[in-house]
Amino acid sequence: MGNIFVIIISSMLVSNVVLSQFLGICPFLGVSKQVSTAVGMGAAVTFVITIASAITWPIYYFLLEPRGLDLTYLQTIVFILVIAALVQFVEMVLKKFMPSLHASLGVYLPLITTNCAVLGVALNNITNGYNFIESVVCGLFTALGFLLSITILAGIRERIEYNDVPHSFKGTPIVLVTACLMAIAFCGFAGLV
């Protein structure tokens, strides 16, 4: 149980996928203009990363790794195919049940397929030697860390919009400075584990 707690804290705060590993920067910066769309993107990424972690672990250990076959060199291609199928499923569900969120996410929703955070979590689960439960927990809390960081950035960006920012810092520069300060703040969690 102690190992699960370490994975939870490490995945969500200490090794935050965006602020420490710098994976998934494109949706992090692109969809964080409003809290509502940031939460929608974070929820979609949470679903995809968690399910991808649950599906890629047995695929790797039961299909790719068994002795005699050793198809582990195909793991990246197979994992990308699994992630692409999950993203298509999420896109269909959002289009059917939440058309306004689907429209507001725009091009960033299909980009979850190529979001390196999703693939990175699946590959890290294998590299770290996690068992199935640890992989799913790591996937879930890594995704919740993504949700937390994108929501915080969106909240800050909404407030920055009404502030008097110097002309040279307007737009992307102030967002990058904000993301850097968030990354520095998350470094404070390093002593937890």
Side-chain angles (χ1 to χ4, degrees), residues 162-186:
Y162 300 110
N163 291 337
D164 187 27
V165 177
H167 181 69
S168 59
F169 279 98
K170 286 190 184 215
T172 305
I174 194 69
V175 174
L176 292 175
V177 168
T178 304
C180 290
L181 292 173
M182 285 176 58
I184 291 169
F186 269 66

Side-chain angles (χ1 to χ4, degrees), residues 42-57 86 118 121 125 132 135-144:
V45 169
T46 299
F47 176 79
V48 171
I49 289 180
T50 305
I51 301 301
S53 297
I55 293 173
T56 55
W57 189 91
L86 287 170
V118 182
V121 170
N125 287 339
F132 179 75
S135 291
V136 173
V137 168
C138 179
L140 173 64
F141 284 93
T142 298
L144 290 176

